[in-house]
Amino acid sequence: MIRILLVDDHPVVRMGLRGMLDAEPDLTVIGEASSGTEGVALALAERPDIVLMDLRMPGGDGVDATAQILSSSSGIRVMVLTTYESDRDILRAIEAGASGYLLKDASPTELADAVRAAARGETVLAPSVASTLVRQVRSPAPPALSARETEVLRLVAAGLTNAEIGKQLFISEATVKTHLLRTFNKLDVADRTAAVTTAMRHGLL
């Protein structure tokens, strides 16, 4: 029997998942948590085989909870089940050690088969998620901005002028321009708008 812990902040979602999974003869839901923090505590107390983890919840991020569970127990596998499939979400979850990444539009059969596969030690990815990872591997790594460059660019995205940014960060307008020029160079762009959109595309903002 594969023992499963559900971590999702929506009671209706947990109820639906429990109904689908408990209907399978070899699967059983042994607990539910409504936040990442609660999920970590329950996972370490109950030691399920599989944790089905939502990503975005109040009271604890799903990726952080995944990392905490996996660092504390080698016997538990965490599979992300979420409505989100952004590049950043996927990469963060996989880097945290998730054994799978499924979307909530998966059918009951797909979900049950994925849980069984994860319990066997396999990695399970929704087709769209697998395509995203392949694209990320094939594309060059995003440029790295310094903390100050990111801070300046975030204020640019908020609509502030160089002078306003300088006042807010207690630096001169010339220093702001220097940070922006370095950012333009790293992102291979020529203006502020392109810098913001490129940074957002790379998940830097």
Side-chain angles (χ1 to χ4, degrees):
M1 185 68 73
I2 299 173
R3 302 168 68 250
I4 305 162
L5 170 66
L6 305 177
V7 184
D8 194 294
D9 60 318
H10 294 100
V12 173
V13 172
R14 296 199 307 272
M15 185 183 302
L17 290 172
R18 178 183 280 275
M20 286 190 292
L21 296 168
D22 280 345
E24 299 292 326
D26 57 335
L27 308 179
T28 182
V29 175
I30 55 91
E32 300 179 18
S34 59
S35 70
T37 302
E38 186 182 350
V40 172
L42 266 179
L44 298 184
E46 300 295 334
R47 301 284 170 173
D49 300 303
I50 301 291
V51 177
L52 283 183
M53 180 74 71
D54 193 11
L55 280 186
R56 303 183 189 178
M57 299 172 286
D61 173 78
V63 172
D64 291 339
T66 296
Q68 290 179 53
I69 290 170
L70 296 178
S71 66
S72 302
S73 174
S74 59
I76 301 175
R77 297 186 181 278
V78 179
M79 189 164 67
V80 170
L81 183 64
T82 183
T83 55
Y84 303 100
E85 56 176 325
S86 72
D87 292 9
R88 185 178 183 186
D89 286 329
I90 294 168
L91 290 174
R92 287 182 66 226
I94 298 302
E95 287 171 355
S99 297
Y101 196 113
L102 288 184
L103 302 178
K104 287 181 179 176
D105 61 2
S107 70
T109 300
E110 289 171 334
L111 178 59
D113 287 345
V115 168
R116 294 183 183 105
R120 292 193 299 267
E122 300 173 17
T123 299
V124 185
L125 299 173
S128 60
V129 172
S131 298
T132 297
L133 287 176
V134 169
R135 185 176 69 250
Q136 287 288 338
V137 169
R138 290 177 177 172
S139 64
L145 300 181
S146 69
R148 179 62 90 182
E149 288 163 352
T150 300
E151 197 172 19
V152 168
L153 196 57
R154 187 171 287 115
L155 293 175
V156 169
L160 275 66
T161 65
N162 287 357
E164 291 169 335
I165 293 171
K167 289 180 180 178
Q168 183 157 330
L169 298 181
F170 302 103
I171 57 178
S172 69
E173 188 173 351
T175 301
V176 173
K177 290 180 180 177
T178 298
H179 286 307
L180 282 175
L181 288 174
R182 289 175 181 165
T183 300
F184 293 172
N185 184 55
K186 288 181 178 180
L187 298 178
D188 193 25
V189 297
D191 58 57
R192 297 158 65 95
T193 301
V196 170
T197 56
T198 300
M200 292 179 69
R201 187 172 68 248
H202 284 300
L204 301 175
L205 286 182

